[in-house]
Structures are given as structure tokens and as C-alpha cells.
Amino acid sequence: MNSILPASRLTALHSLRDFLVVKRGIRLLLLAVLLAWLTCVSDGVAAISGDDSDDLTVTFGFDGHLKLGCWQPFLVKTPAQIQPERFELTVLDGDDARITYRGPLRSIGSDLNQHQGYLKLGRGYGTAHLKLFDPNGVLVAEKVVSLGQAADPEMLESTRQIILTLAPSDALAQTVTSIGMEGERDQAAIVINLGSAEQLPLDGFCYEAIDTVFLVTSDLERIEKINGAQWEALERWVENGGRLIFSVAQNGEKLLAANGCLNRFCPGEFAGQGRLAANSRLESFAGTDQVVDYDGQPIAVAKISKAVGQVILKQDQLPLVIRTGKGFGEIVMVTFDLDSTSIKQWKGYSNLIHRLQNQVDNQEAAQAQVASSRGSSVSHFGYEDLIGQLRVPLDRFKGVQFLAFNWIALLIGLYILCIGPGDYFFLKKITGKMELTWITFPLVSLSFCGLAIWISKVTRPLDIQLNQLEIIDVDASSNLVRGTAWCNLYSPAAGKCQISLSQKNALGWEIESDQLSWHGLPGSGLGGMQTKSSPGIARSGYQHARHLLPGQPPTDRSELLELPLYVSATKPLFVQYYTTFPSTIRSNLRLSLKTSRLDGTLLNPLDQRLKNCRLFFENYAYELNKTHLEPGEAIDVMTEMKERAARSLLTRRSSFVNEDKKSQNSPWERSDTRISRIAEMLMFYEAAGGSNYTGLTHSYQGFIDLSEQLNLGRAILVGEIDVPTTPLLIDGQSAATQYDQMATIVRIVLPVTYEER
């Protein structure tokens, strides 16, 4: 029987139906508005990301090449009505976290519409979000660029070698490029030919991705477009360990004079211009029997007197190729124009460029050899570069104890027994009340949770801990001090902090400039920067701020803001700083040509005791007869140090004997976690035999290797200090007491004079 609803109830149902219809209409309207808004936003983003000529144009790295894990410049061209002063650029760091770089934009010369900033990229995917601000802090423009989905910018591995040239002649460009392409295809050096000087960095640290800069100077107009800030940046990069090859002859009067832009790189005094009518030495140097066709025109040569360093090629008392050290880097000067007509048309031209660029050849050979064993080493150890091996001990903290898996399995099994059979038999046989499981089950669970928390507390430190390797380099000739530190920060709890560098260190020096940043792991192993895809884990972002403080010279400071810390996790950091040694370093080292032995006195110029002192020069090492060198103490090298082969010392040859009772090199252990031992190999990689000895590359941050300085008339004193000289500041407080493992090594580069027979 059908029931009939009262009229009042029927009216209520109709009202409810109308209300629901109205609500649905409102929802549809709101959905339409949302879709329209999203369409507008996407159109706006598309406009921001577009390549319209009226919009922003951004060039990342060097001519669209970005090397992972290195500081590089970016060039932004803005519309005429926009005059930005600062920028914010958000990318991914080496741990796949978003980092925002905040700093000043610098205009390129007189062109106010071209500006240069900087970045350090840790992943080859994701996006780069650039924001530009005017002097009042108002956002005036922004742009979003997708990374890894197009050829521009091209992503390069952190271990890739890069040769940078500035629009050389076609013949030179093709020759240098062909040399760079030698070796394994995926490991061959990249040659980047910049079309104009505007892409040269304005800051020295932005050259970190570059291994060699190649300059020719016949086109004076192109060279004169390089401004003063760019020359200063190039000089700072060379002093930091870079390698500059340049040729000059025809324009020597303007470029090498006292006020010339290349005078700072000249390994001697410019004494005018000479002529070279015949040159059998040049053919011999290039290793070819093809004679230079002078066509009646002698080759112009820049005369260099009082040459400092190593004169590689000389004829008629004219140095033709001079190799010298500057700071911690190297300069190769060619005193004739490599882009002159007679030299370019010479059939031995490629051999000549190949000889000048021989360092790249050595690196390519090393990489090719390492590539053959890379598969097994990476799969087993997770790294292929020495910096990767350094990461292992820096990630290990003495206070962090790991519970063995057997104990974990035992506790899991015990927990299952307690909440299952144990709980059942306890309630069934002892209490006789099964309903009490509502009490016993939570109690057992809470007890095991408490046990887990207690275990985590007793096996982990309660405060932030640091592991650090710091290498301090001092150049006695220029009093330049360069500090390099790798630091891993361990956090027992989640949070955020501010990280900066102490302005004064334990040696009493005032830091003049520093660059603090994250540190990436080279390679494609777990956590490596060459990883192709995102792990899909959302990480909190943080900021890198750079401050230029007024003064002469201006002080350059950097800090990490709102750095996220995760529970029982580490954060790798990297810092380089510069200052000036406060006094003159006295040294009178000399090489006797009669005895071929190093002689003279050696002085510890520091206010700290130096332990485990060694002196390296050419192919030899000199060990101190006692354990340490006190502050200000002087010793006689001939009587108080014993000489041995440098490679034997670095490879521990005397400590390893085979079955035939013959000494052999102690094999390099890739599982070695001694920070001081790994540091020794980082500092003198080539002197120890390079990849032939270690089986690893040293291409990422290879500037720390000073082996080449040993062959440029310079000796290197190495010693260790017991204290962290330049501690980090965490939230403004010194972390000097929070170091778990710490190694501080000092290297002092000393000039050596040569006695005459």
C-alpha cells in the first residue's frame, strides 16, 4: 500500500531539491572560475617562459653550457625600461633540495641592459626560476626556464674538462676543438668558444667550471672589450688554481706594458719586440718535420727579460714559450701570435697547439683508463672521483652508532611474540580475562616504542656534530692565502639554522672574502649529481645570500639561511675563503746545480705548531727528522731533513714488500677512510701517479692538486695543525667545540732559486 506524504513534508522535499540544484550550480560556477583562473595563470607562465625578444633573455653558464656542482655565471638581457639591481634564482642543489641564490646583479660594461649573476646547480632537471628586483626591492621581472628538457642549457658532468676560448680564429678554434674531442666520447674535453667578451665572468669564483682558458691577442679590438672587472676575475681564478694559455707579440706594446691589461700575467719584463727569421726549434718542439713557411716575413716575437719560471722553448736568446706559476695556478705564455697567418698555415700547427695543451691530454688519458674499471668500482663503492672517497669518512661520526640488523630482527620478533602468543597466554592462563587485551596491547606497544626511542637516544649524539677537512694554502711570493674546507654537518633533530663562516680564524687572520655553499657528490651513483631523475621526495628549500660590504677591497661574505636539518641526517657543505698573509715569509731555498739537492733554511711562519712536516720539490720529498716544527722555528734543509723520491713517499713504497722481499708501492685502498691520507692524495694527485695509482679521477675540484707547481721552480712545505682554524658559525655561534673529526693541513708555496755552476 503506497503511503501518501503530508503536503508540508512534500513541500520541504521540493525545497531541499531546489537548494541542492542551486548548490550544484554554484559549484559548477566556482569550477568554471577556477579553470579560467588556471588558464590565465598558465598563459602568464607561458609568457614569462617565452623567448619573445621583448622579454627577458637568459644565458646560463658559458654559452649555454652548465657544469654541475660548480659556480658559473648567467647573463640576463632585460628590456630598456627595466634596470634591476638584485636577483633571486631558485634551482636544485646536490641533495635535490631547492636553493634560492640572492645577490647583486652586475652590469656588463656600459650596456645597462645586460647583467650578470651567478649560480651553482646540483641537478640536470627541474626548473630555474629567476626574479629581478629594482633598488627598492620591487619585483620588476621574472622568468622560468625548464632544465634538462632541451639542448639549451646543455648539462655537463661535474668531472668534465672544459677549455674556454674567446672567439679565436677558425683555424685555432678547429684545432683546439679537435684536441678536446680526443679520448672517450662521454669524457672528452668540451671546448667552448665565446662569441663576445660579455660572457666572461665578473667574479673569479664563477670560473670554477673552467679548466683552461686559451687567449690569442692579434684582434686588439676584441681584447679591449674585456673590462677591468673581467681581467681581475680572470686573475683571481688563475691564482686559485686555473690554467691560462695566451699568446702575444704584435700588440705587445699595448698589452704587456706597465699599464697593459696582460701585464699582470707576464712572466717577466716586456723589453720590446723582436723578429724570428728561422725557427728549427719550433718544429722540434711541435714534434714535426714540417717547416714553417715564413714567406719572407719574419715572425714577430715579444721580448721577455728576467723570465720567471720554466722557459720551455727558446731560440736566439728569445724565450718563445714560458711556463710559470701564479698564486696556486699556472700561466703558459707564447711570445709569438698563434693566430698569425704564417703560423696558422703551418702544417705542424695542430701539433703545436696539442703540445701547449698537453695537460688536457694527460687528463683525457687518465679518464680513459679509469673508464675501463669504472663499472665495478662505482657499483661497489658508489664513486669514481677522489672527492667521492672523501665523502665517506666525512659522513661517519663516532657518536653515531648503528644497531646491527640481527638486533633489529630480534626486537621485531620479540614484539610480535609479545602482542600475539604472549598476550594470549598471559590473558588466558594467568588473568582469565581476555577483555584486558585492550589494556595489555597498548602497554606492550608503548613499551617497545619507548625502547626504540631510548635506543635512538643512546646511539646518537644530542647536539649538532661536524666533520671537516680544511686545507690552507699560502703563497709566499704574493702572500695570498686560500682556505678550502669540506664540512659535513650531522643533525640529531629536525629544524632550520643559519650557517656562515667565522671572520677570524685560529691563526689570527681576518677573512677578506668567502664563498660558502652546499657540496655535491660527483658521479651517477646513489646521491650523485649526474642522477637522471628526481627521487620524488619533497625537501624544504633554503637560501644562499651574498653580501658585498664596502671597503678597499670590498669584503665578500656569504651565508646559508633557513638551512633545513633532518633527523639523524647529514648536510655536506663546502667553503673557500681568501685573505692576505700578515707578514713576509722568509725563505732562502736554493737548488745546488752541483749536488742537485735542495739547500737553505726553512721557517715555520705560523703561530701554530706544524706536525708531520714534509717539503716537496720537483720529484723529491724531504722529511723532517723530528715530529714537529715550532712557531718561528727555522731548520736547515740539508742537515735536518732526509731526501727521498716524492712518489715513494706518497705511495708508501717502503712500507709494502712483496714475496720477493722487494719494495713496492702500497696499493691505493678505495675503502680507506683516513681523512689525512685521502687529503694527501687530493693535494698531490699527479705527483703520486694520478689514476695509474688510485684508479680514480681527480677532475672535480682538481684545483686542490698542486703537483704542477713542483716543476715551476717552487717548493711546497706541508704540515698539520691540531685545531680547526676557521670554524663554521651556526646561528651566529662558533661550532669549534662541536667537531667530531677534524683535519687541518697547511701548504706553504715557497720560491726556489737556482745556483749557477
Side-chain angles (χ1 to χ4, degrees), residues 33 107 122 132 142 165 227 240 292 312 324 391 415 464 475 495 504 592 644 684 740:
V33 172
S107 297
L132 304 181
E142 62 180 325
T165 64
N227 62 39
N240 188 34
V292 178
I312 299 177
T324 188
R391 174 71 67 87
Y415 175 69
I464 290 177
D475 178 27
K504 287 188 176 181
S592 173
R644 62 180 299 185
F684 299 105
D740 182 62

Side-chain angles (χ1 to χ4, degrees), residues 517-713:
S517 66
W518 54 269
H519 187 243
L521 178 66
S524 56
L526 182 63
M529 289 183 289
Q530 276 78 261
T531 303
K532 299 298 183 182
S533 60
S534 171
I537 302 175
R539 297 180 182 270
S540 300
Y542 62 104
Q543 301 175 18
H544 174 280
R546 182 183 176 211
H547 310 284
L548 291 176
L549 306 179
Q552 291 297 330
T555 304
D556 195 348
R557 299 287 184 202
S558 60
E559 58 182 342
L560 299 177
L561 305 174
E562 299 182 351
L563 180 69
L565 304 177
Y566 301 100
V567 179
S568 297
T570 60
K571 181 64 178 180
L573 304 174
F574 177 74
V575 61
Q576 273 201 316
Y577 62 85
Y578 299 91
T579 188
T580 302
F581 196 80
S583 61
T584 301
I585 299 177
R586 291 177 294 158
S587 172
N588 64 344
L589 295 179
R590 56 188 178 273
L591 179 67
S592 173
L593 297 181
K594 294 181 179 179
T595 62
S596 298
R597 197 185 192 284
L598 201 60
D599 193 6
T601 58
L602 193 64
L603 177 72
N604 176 11
L606 307 178
D607 295 332
Q608 294 281 341
R609 172 189 292 184
L610 284 177
K611 302 189 311 178
N612 191 22
C613 293
R614 295 94 72 201
L615 181 67
F616 291 88
F617 177 68
E618 293 184 345
N619 297 323
Y620 297 95
Y622 301 83
E623 295 180 284
L624 192 65
N625 292 334
K626 55 183 183 178
T627 59
H628 59 270
L629 194 61
E630 294 291 346
E633 182 180 359
I635 61 170
D636 183 83
V637 175
M638 182 70 73
T639 60
E640 298 184 64
M641 303 190 84
K642 54 185 178 181
E643 183 187 70
R644 62 180 299 185
R647 181 166 296 188
S648 296
L649 174 66
L650 294 170
T651 60
R652 305 294 190 265
R653 185 177 183 88
S654 60
S655 62
F656 185 79
V657 180
N658 63 6
E659 296 177 353
D660 298 328
K661 306 299 182 181
K662 294 181 179 179
S663 64
Q664 289 185 347
N665 295 334
S666 177
W668 178 256
E669 297 290 343
R670 300 187 190 183
S671 58
D672 197 333
T673 57
R674 293 173 294 171
I675 294 180
S676 58
R677 177 64 175 139
I678 299 173
E680 187 176 51
M681 202 52 52
L682 289 171
M683 296 187 297
F684 299 105
Y685 174 78
E686 290 296 340
S691 65
N692 291 329
Y693 175 60
T694 64
L696 298 170
T697 63
H698 189 12
S699 300
Y700 183 50
Q701 299 180 332
F703 54 79
I704 207 68
D705 178 19
L706 296 186
S707 299
E708 292 296 329
Q709 298 295 321
L710 301 177
N711 299 315
L712 298 177

Side-chain angles (χ1 to χ4, degrees), residues 367-425:
Q367 290 178 344
Q369 180 170 353
V370 171
S372 63
S373 60
R374 179 171 298 168
S376 59
S377 65
V378 173
S379 61
H380 184 69
F381 295 101
Y383 55 82
E384 59 197 45
D385 193 271
L386 267 176
I387 293 295
Q389 184 167 357
L390 176 64
R391 174 71 67 87
V392 177
L394 291 180
D395 259 340
R396 295 182 178 179
F397 294 82
K398 297 175 183 176
V400 179
Q401 303 175 21
F402 294 96
L403 200 62
F405 178 76
N406 294 338
W407 284 102
I408 297 175
L410 178 62
L411 290 175
I412 293 175
L414 184 60
Y415 175 69
I416 294 173
L417 288 175
C418 288
I419 64 173
D423 186 57
Y424 174 80
F425 283 108

Side-chain angles (χ1 to χ4, degrees), residues 71 86-91 93 98-104 118-120 205 499-500 514-518 541-547 556-563 573-576:
W71 289 108
R86 300 188 66 82
F87 75 93
E88 289 186 3
L89 178 64
T90 303
V91 294
D93 74 355
R98 300 201 70 81
I99 179 172
T100 299
Y101 298 101
R102 295 166 43 198
Y118 53 87
L119 80 157
K120 184 178 179 181
F205 67 90
I499 305 290
S500 57
D514 65 70
Q515 272 298 330
L516 172 67
S517 66
W518 54 269
Y542 62 104
Q543 301 175 18
H544 174 280
R546 182 183 176 211
H547 310 284
D556 195 348
R557 299 287 184 202
S558 60
E559 58 182 342
L560 299 177
L561 305 174
E562 299 182 351
L563 180 69
L573 304 174
F574 177 74
V575 61
Q576 273 201 316

